Amino acid sequence: MGAHRETLTDDLRQRIVEGEFAPGARLSESTVAKLLGVSRNTLRESFRVLAEQGLIEHTPNRGASVAAPTIADVIDIYRARRYIEPEALGQGSPLHPAAAQMQAAIDRGRERAKHTDWHGVGTANMDFHAGIVALADSPRLTRLFRDVAAELRLAFLEIDNPRQLHAPFLDRNQALLALFVEQGGAAAAQELERYLVYSEQAVLGTFIRLGRA
């Protein structure tokens, strides 16, 4: 039962970050339970877990809905990323298998760009950053980053020009990986700090332009 509930939670999380349920959308227990083929009691436990991860909000008299990240949420997400990612990259080895995971994510992103699938490019970009965190060989950091990345994916769904947001990072990811391989973690970590500032400003700029609080 525990494993089934975990699989259900992972499935629902993936559906949310892929945009099947839009940010701010109400999640009817009966409708979602029927869609996923589970009982409402089982679904409520997954709702609870995803609420703890910041993906679902509970509002009195309205029930559950998909979280809609605010500017303050974006700032905090990037604060967390700056604590996690540069340290993992700075202490990592280019010989670690995660370096191949990072390259594979870059290749997927370029392939999706050929098909103008900018949502897919965004997914590949977050896979690249998951590879950075995997350099630390820490299951706890991996779980923490998974939750942070899922919240960021919700913010991405709010952006009206995903190409403008994601396209620049195809080359930046390749350059960052090349720096890591050629000069090591310390140099790459410094560049990643600048990279994350650039990324945060790009997301915040869009939120401000769209009038998101």
Side-chain angles (χ1 to χ4, degrees):
M1 179 64 71
H4 172 69
R5 186 179 294 117
E6 184 175 342
T7 300
L8 170 64
T9 302
D10 289 343
D11 182 21
L12 185 54
R13 180 193 301 106
Q14 191 64 26
R15 289 171 183 263
I16 289 172
V17 301
E18 290 291 340
E20 185 170 337
F21 305 104
R26 182 174 177 273
L27 295 171
S28 163
E29 283 188 2
S30 57
T31 301
V32 177
K34 183 177 180 180
L35 173 68
L36 300 180
V38 298
S39 72
R40 292 175 69 172
N41 283 339
T42 300
L43 181 65
R44 286 190 193 111
E45 176 60 18
S46 289
F47 277 4
R48 183 191 66 77
V49 172
L50 294 177
E52 290 178 352
Q53 295 174 5
L55 297 183
I56 288 178
E57 297 174 343
H58 288 282
T59 306
N61 303 319
R62 188 169 183 266
S65 61
V66 178
T70 65
I71 287 175
D73 292 324
V74 171
I75 291 171
D76 195 39
I77 287 168
Y78 275 90
R79 182 184 297 122
R81 293 186 70 184
R82 282 192 291 271
Y83 273 103
I84 299 169
E85 293 185 57
E87 181 68 18
L89 190 61
Q91 298 296 322
S93 166
L95 300 178
H96 193 288
Q101 177 183 335
M102 294 160 67
Q103 183 62 59
I106 292 170
D107 294 341
R108 284 196 302 275
R110 293 194 185 283
E111 183 63 29
R112 298 323 307 160
K114 290 179 183 178
H115 296 85
T116 64
D117 175 11
W118 297 107
H119 182 75
V121 173
T123 298
N125 178 57
M126 296 315 298
D127 290 343
F128 172 81
H129 289 276
I132 291 176
V133 177
L135 291 166
D137 287 321
S138 169
R140 288 168 180 81
L141 279 180
T142 295
R143 288 196 298 268
L144 175 60
F145 182 77
R146 177 201 63 188
D147 296 344
V148 169
E151 287 192 82
L152 184 58
R153 293 283 299 281
L154 283 184
F156 288 167
L157 291 174
E158 300 271 45
I159 291 172
D160 59 349
N161 190 340
R163 182 185 186 280
Q164 185 178 37
L165 175 67
H166 297 307
F169 292 100
L170 292 169
D171 289 338
R172 290 196 73 140
N173 288 349
Q174 190 70 71
L176 181 64
L177 180 56
L179 183 64
F180 177 54
V181 171
E182 295 166 9
Q183 299 187 30
Q190 290 181 356
E191 176 58 28
L192 181 54
E193 291 274 4
R194 292 187 286 269
Y195 173 121
L196 290 174
V197 169
Y198 175 88
S199 178
E200 179 180 21
Q201 290 175 343
V203 176
L204 288 176
T206 301
F207 266 50
I208 292 168
R209 179 173 57 79
L210 295 175
R212 302 294 166 86

